[in-house]
């Protein structure tokens, strides 16, 4: 039965050849455990996407509703504490992993030609990962969220030339409120997942095309 499904898909989509190409792709001999951090970062992203979707079923953005909806998730929903904790812990782990991955690439000199574009894509991925963390921090709308966002948006506001615009854009008003939360939520659950996925696809395409860099 299942073989029939595979045959059906293979005739139409050539799935056997595609899966063979993935499974039989040779990894260079010099690749060791130091090369696993990019993959771990990707795994973190997948966990964030899965747990984030589950949280979004019950989270209600709004300065009156956000905090109580998070309490509701924790107190009343089955495995709510587990799912929220996974999301919060994995967010921190993802940031640590992306930094370790970036250091691995840097110290192996893997940014050298022809991989400069992949390094630049990586830098953008790094900023997006940090922005994911920052935008998510406000969502529970507790004291920590409020003050962290206040400090963060003031730091953004101190940037030369663009600071004022950036702070206005982030706050969506003169102070943190409903409009700020809506903006952060949109950035966190719509804009960043789409843009980061697009850049990840480019990152992986380039790795596949150029292969893993030779040691220095
Ligand atoms: C969401 C973040 C990221 C994910 C999921 C990711 C994933 C990966 C994976 C799976 C690999 C192949 C295995 C490995 O070398 O670890 C890789 C390679 C690479 N990454 Fe990333 N990466 C991310 C961010 C970054 C950042 C921040 C940089 C640098 C600023 C970067 C630059 C590179 C480069 C240049 C390579 C090729 C390395 C080589 O050929 O040896 N990546 N990435």
């Amino acid at each position: 039965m299942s073989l029939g499904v595979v045959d059906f898909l293979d005739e139409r989509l050539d799935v056997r050849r595609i899966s063979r190409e993935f499974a039989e792709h040779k990894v260079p001999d010099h690749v060791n455990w130091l090369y696993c951090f990019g993959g771990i970062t990707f795994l973190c992203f997948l966990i964030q996407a899965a747990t984030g979707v589950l949280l979004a079923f019950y989270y209600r953005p709004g300065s009156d509703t956000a905090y109580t909806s998070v309490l509701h998730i924790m107190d009343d929903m089955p495995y709510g504490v587990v799912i929220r904790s996974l999301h919060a812990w994995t967010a921190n782990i993802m940031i640590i992993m992306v930094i370790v991955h970036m250091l691995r690439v840097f110290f192996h000199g893997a940014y050298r030609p022809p991989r400069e574009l992949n390094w630049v894509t990586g830098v953008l991925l790094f900023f997006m990962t940090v922005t994911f963390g920052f935008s998510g921090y406000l969502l529970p709308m507790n004291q920590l969220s409020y003050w962290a966002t206040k400090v963060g948006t003031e730091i953004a506001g101190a940037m030369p030339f663009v600071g004022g615009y950036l702070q206005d854009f982030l706050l969506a008003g003169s102070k943190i409120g409903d409009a700020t939360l809506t903006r952060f939520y949109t950035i966190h659950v719509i804009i960043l997942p789409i843009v980061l996925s697009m850049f990840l696809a480019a990152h992986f395409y380039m790795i596949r095309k150029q292969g893993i860099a030779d040691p220095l």
Side-chain angles (χ1 to χ4, degrees):
M1 163 72 180
S2 61
L3 211 62
V5 174
V6 175
D7 287 339
F8 176 87
L9 291 175
D10 195 39
E11 265 174 35
R12 285 150 186 86
L13 302 169
D14 205 10
V15 288
R16 281 208 174 87
R17 186 187 56 78
I18 296 169
S19 72
R20 231 183 358 257
E21 261 174 33
F22 272 98
E24 290 171 7
H25 184 74
K26 291 269 183 300
V27 174
D29 287 340
H30 66 272
V31 168
N32 56 28
W33 62 272
L34 288 169
Y35 291 74
C36 71
F37 295 105
I40 297 177
T41 311
F42 181 53
L43 179 65
C44 289
F45 176 62
L46 295 181
I47 294 173
Q48 290 306 85
T51 51
V53 167
L54 293 176
L55 291 172
F57 276 119
Y58 293 99
Y59 174 76
R60 288 194 286 151
S63 41
D64 295 336
T65 52
Y67 184 64
T68 46
S69 70
V70 172
L71 289 186
H72 175 59
I73 290 171
M74 305 268 285
D75 295 340
D76 308 322
M77 302 321 298
Y79 303 105
V81 177
V82 177
I83 290 161
R84 185 179 173 215
S85 306
L86 253 178
H87 198 74
W89 277 96
T90 309
N92 292 315
I93 296 170
M94 183 169 170
I95 291 178
I96 297 168
M97 290 300 124
V98 78
I99 292 172
V100 178
H101 169 58
M102 193 156 86
L103 290 173
R104 196 291 290 165
V105 171
F106 178 76
F107 284 111
H108 280 166
Y111 49 77
R112 288 164 298 151
R115 295 180 180 75
E116 319 90 311
L117 257 187
N118 215 13
W119 174 263
V120 173
T121 313
V123 172
L124 295 173
L125 281 170
F126 170 73
F127 283 118
M128 281 182 239
T129 308
V130 174
T131 312
F132 246 124
F134 179 61
S135 57
Y137 218 80
L138 177 66
L139 301 185
M141 207 54 172
N142 53 26
Q143 283 291 320
L144 203 60
S145 314
Y146 179 86
W147 291 107
T149 306
K150 189 154 173 57
V151 172
T153 48
E154 276 169 16
I155 292 173
M159 275 170 73
F161 308 116
V162 290
Y165 297 108
L166 193 59
Q167 192 173 14
D168 285 350
F169 171 75
L170 288 171
L171 288 177
S174 53
K175 58 183 174 45
I176 297 171
D178 268 331
T180 323
L181 200 55
T182 309
R183 195 150 283 192
F184 274 51
Y185 190 55
T186 311
I187 292 172
H188 194 75
V189 306
I190 299 177
I191 297 176
L192 282 175
I194 293 174
V195 180
L196 193 134
S197 301
M198 284 162 47
F199 275 84
L200 264 186
H203 200 60
F204 292 158
Y205 174 76
M206 283 188 262
I207 295 164
R208 205 53 200 251
K209 190 96 190 140
Q210 301 164 343
I212 294 290
D214 287 331
L216 278 172

